[in-house]
Amino acid sequence: MSALKFHICILAFWATLLIPSSCHGDSAVKKKHAALYVFGDSLFDPGNNNYINTTTDYKANWSPYGETFFKYPTGRFCDGRLIPDFIAEYAKLPIVPAFYPRIVDYTHGVNFASGGAGALNETHKGFVIPLNYQLHNFKNMEENLRHNLGDAEAYTVLSNAVYLISIGGNDYFAPFATNCSFFETHSQGEYVGIVIGNLTNMIKTIYKKGGRKFGFTRLLPLGLVPTQRPGNRGTCVKEVTSIVNVHNKELPKHLEKLKSKLQGFKYSIAKLDTYLTERINNPSKYGFKEGKSACCGSGPYGGIYSCGGKRGVTEYRLCANVSEYVFFDSFHPTERVYQQVSKLWWNETPNAGEPYSNLRELFEV
Ligand SMILES: *[C@@H]1O[C@H](CO)[C@@H](O)[C@H](O)[C@H]1NC(C)=O
Ligand SMILES: *[C@@H]1O[C@H](CO)[C@@H](O)[C@H](O)[C@H]1NC(C)=O
Ligand SMILES: *[C@@H]1O[C@H](CO)[C@@H](O)[C@H](O)[C@H]1NC(C)=O
Ligand SMILES: *[C@@H]1O[C@H](CO)[C@@H](O)[C@H](O)[C@H]1NC(C)=O
Ligand SMILES: *[C@@H]1O[C@H](CO)[C@@H](O)[C@H](O)[C@H]1NC(C)=O
């Protein structure tokens, strides 16, 4: 926005106090900013799980969650903002609100993500909003958008929009809930195919509604999160690492195949596996002091998932300076890590041979 337009907008904003006209209804302004729709798991959930019937294992709406930025717990599994919050800021959008409780204006975007969710219905069934139901909510939202804007304008909003999706991690943790030998009797390749197959179905549905521009994440190195460190319950480190690596190799291949089938389909991939592994193993290079232990939690490496004391274990430690840590709780990175990786995702030029763009380019076209 030019400085002049900015001033006009400010004036118009103040004018709304006196006369009923504003910048909000100006569709020229609206078209400038692609909307942002978000799906996925706890990496992206801004508080949808606050509104579902679940247990505290799938919630984070108590102190000290949220303290760094919001100063109150929002339901984000973090001390502050998440990747979609930073991306919205870089795209000059307002912070993208949670789908629950229902809001009225969906034209800048909305976030459907749910902590603990997977691409499979079976993953944490009954405790989360699975990807399939997030898509159901998206379809309802689309109807609302068409009702309010008309079919053509709604389609324009959806086709200019960017769709961010973080999914899969929970689908790969789930088979190890009881023991580590699941993939001695099941094929890794088949299981990954089913997870990515369900993700692909979802992409095709959004594409039919007009969606063209997508951002995906390669999975975090799940074998390196604090819960998986020695002395904690969540082990199966080798097995988790192995299946996550298969997923991270397969995802780009499937997306490339999809691109050849769906005309106009564009995408970007955030290398969260690389970004996190680098910071965990070499924290000082990125301005951190502690790469392995959680800032908030109990037990060895803060690997007992007790941050805030509401998940059955009431005692927990909280670090003095969260900015020094890569992990906030036993599973989830700090706001500072999210900020660094969001900047990279927004700006980074893909390596030679990688057929996708950074996020900034997706928002431009
Ligand atoms: C919420 O879930 C619990 C445990 O699964 C169940 O006993 C209870 O009836 C549910 N409440 C509602 C309102 O669905
Ligand atoms: C997932 O569950 C929904 C709702 O129960 C159902 O409509 C859908 O067919 C299921 N999807 C798969 C792949 O099983
Ligand atoms: C662990 O999983 C494997 C493969 O699914 C199964 O054969 C085995 O009986 C399980 N062991 C235990 C102790 O549950
Ligand atoms: C989606 O997941 C279900 C299991 O939840 C599986 O039966 C189905 O085959 C998957 N769909 C695809 C297209 O892979
Ligand atoms: C917290 O840690 C960050 C990063 O190491 C540092 O820049 C900052 O000064 C620290 N704050 C305090 C209050 O010590």
Side-chain angles (χ1 to χ4, degrees), residues 301-356:
Y301 301 93
I304 296 174
Y305 191 38
S306 58
C307 181
K310 303 270 200 234
R311 298 192 186 99
V313 178
T314 52
E315 301 208 342
Y316 67 98
R317 299 185 300 271
L318 180 65
C319 66
N321 184 350
V322 64
S323 296
E324 296 172 347
Y325 283 72
V326 170
F327 285 100
F328 180 60
D329 72 14
S330 318
F331 287 105
H332 305 100
T334 54
E335 172 182 90
R336 189 154 178 239
V337 167
Y338 283 141
Q339 182 164 33
Q340 291 185 358
V341 306
S342 299
K343 245 181 219 155
L344 288 168
W345 196 8
W346 184 256
N347 282 313
E348 199 166 53
T349 310
N351 295 326
E354 288 174 345
Y356 44 88

Side-chain angles (χ1 to χ4, degrees), residues 52-55 126-127:
I52 65 171
N53 187 19
T54 187
T55 68
F127 295 102

Side-chain angles (χ1 to χ4, degrees), residues 39 52 99-100 102 112 118-119 121 128-140 202:
F39 301 85
I52 65 171
F99 181 70
Y100 296 121
R102 300 306 186 88
F112 302 96
N121 276 347
V128 301
I129 309 161
L131 202 55
N132 196 284
Y133 202 81
Q134 294 181 30
L135 191 61
H136 165 90
N137 285 337
F138 170 78
K139 288 180 195 158
N140 282 346
M202 179 213 195

Side-chain angles (χ1 to χ4, degrees), residues 132-195:
N132 196 284
Y133 202 81
Q134 294 181 30
L135 191 61
H136 165 90
N137 285 337
F138 170 78
K139 288 180 195 158
N140 282 346
M141 185 237 27
E142 187 248 358
E143 271 174 32
N144 176 289
L145 215 51
R146 282 197 285 130
H147 177 82
N148 288 335
L149 305 177
D151 289 357
E153 175 93 15
Y155 191 88
T156 303
V157 168
L158 294 181
S159 53
N160 286 337
V162 173
Y163 299 81
L164 297 187
I165 307 170
S166 157
I167 205 77
N170 293 300
D171 299 303
Y172 299 121
F173 267 135
F176 301 121
T178 49
N179 87 46
C180 295
S181 38
F182 186 79
F183 290 109
E184 284 172 18
T185 51
H186 294 73
S187 152
Q188 278 190 337
E190 254 171 47
Y191 191 83
V192 170
I194 290 170
V195 170

Side-chain angles (χ1 to χ4, degrees), residues 90-129:
Y90 304 157
K92 302 194 166 59
L93 290 166
I95 276 196
V96 176
F99 181 70
Y100 296 121
R102 300 306 186 88
I103 54 165
V104 287
D105 181 9
Y106 298 110
T107 51
H108 294 294
V110 65
N111 186 331
F112 302 96
S114 163
L120 307 184
N121 276 347
E122 292 82 358
T123 297
H124 301 144
K125 192 171 184 141
F127 295 102
V128 301
I129 309 161

Side-chain angles (χ1 to χ4, degrees), residues 54-73:
T54 187
T55 68
T56 52
D57 282 351
Y58 303 97
K59 289 192 178 199
N61 56 344
W62 52 78
S63 171
Y65 287 104
E67 300 252 310
T68 302
F69 181 77
F70 300 98
K71 308 294 174 202
Y72 64 94

